[in-house]
Amino acid sequence: MVRTSNRLLVSSILCVGAFVLTRFALEAFVAPRTTAPSLQSKLQLNARGGGEYDISDADIQNFYNSLLTGAGGDPPKGTVLSELIVKFFHGDFTPQGFKRYSGLWKGPPPGNIGKKDIAVGVAKLKEQMANPMFVTKGGVGYGVDEMQKVEDDGKGWVWLAAEMSPGGLAVELFKSVPYGKRAILVAKQS
């Protein structure tokens, strides 16, 4: 009986010691959590119009400028962007909808998407961005009713944005800010 109580006492002392040691380690090496937003972040939020998801013209221009820093040209073969562009733009846009290309990809190797297929997809993407046949409603704000969204906000930007759909990752064109989607690129419609 004495041994059982000693083991219990030693075990509880070791547990308390481990708890105190981990609390000390967390306080010493991990930055403390901030519970309330700072005054500066509140001021910045109010300066942008007060909404958490507001996007200003300056934000759009900065995003556009960041896209102009690359070397240019078509996206490289094998990247997600090139695969999405080929999937959603290599084909025919008809009034009944988009008819995806169903032939053999040029490769190399034949049957796989290659540089020639990517070039066709990018050319069709540029054509659709200049004069989109199918535009998805966007703008207004995040989490807004579909009836309040607009097809064109009149700012002259065309967006390519992605979102998850039941069939996988989908890409859509917008002529207003694509709230709630993942913006891939933005270009001036002119």
Side-chain angles (χ1 to χ4, degrees):
M1 187 79 162
V2 175
R3 284 187 167 171
T4 306
S5 63
N6 282 343
R7 286 183 183 167
L8 185 61
L9 179 63
V10 170
S11 298
S12 60
I13 290 173
L14 286 175
C15 287
V16 169
F19 176 75
V20 170
L21 187 61
T22 54
R23 295 296 291 174
F24 172 73
L26 285 175
E27 289 176 11
F29 300 110
V30 178
R33 280 190 282 172
T34 56
T35 55
S38 67
L39 178 61
Q40 183 179 6
S41 67
K42 286 182 182 178
L43 289 174
Q44 290 172 345
L45 186 63
N46 288 334
R48 291 192 316 246
E52 183 178 352
Y53 299 106
D54 290 344
I55 296 175
S56 68
D57 291 339
D59 293 333
I60 297 171
Q61 188 65 44
N62 288 339
F63 180 56
Y64 176 72
N65 291 340
S66 72
L67 295 173
L68 300 177
T69 60
D74 295 341
K77 177 184 170 186
T79 62
V80 172
L81 183 59
S82 65
E83 302 279 332
L84 286 173
I85 289 173
V86 169
K87 179 178 180 182
F88 290 97
F89 294 96
H90 192 309
D92 297 318
F93 287 87
T94 67
Q96 291 80 28
F98 175 68
K99 306 288 185 198
R100 187 171 292 137
Y101 175 73
S102 61
L104 186 66
W105 301 113
K106 305 294 185 244
N112 289 342
I113 294 174
K115 291 181 180 181
K116 293 177 184 176
D117 304 308
I118 295 169
V120 171
V122 169
K124 296 276 182 124
L125 170 63
K126 289 178 183 177
E127 178 184 310
Q128 286 300 309
M129 290 189 89
N131 187 18
M133 183 174 283
F134 304 108
V135 178
T136 306
K137 286 183 173 183
V140 182
Y142 183 75
V144 175
D145 183 65
E146 191 68 26
M147 297 302 294
Q148 294 177 339
K149 293 183 179 182
V150 294
E151 279 190 18
D152 190 350
D153 60 9
K155 294 183 179 181
W157 296 105
V158 179
W159 298 80
L160 181 68
E163 72 170 332
M164 284 304 296
S165 70
L169 196 59
V171 175
E172 300 171 307
L173 285 176
F174 294 82
K175 290 174 73 178
S176 54
V177 178
Y179 287 100
K181 315 286 190 222
R182 300 290 182 203
I184 296 172
L185 64 90
V186 64
K188 296 179 181 175
Q189 189 173 3
S190 60

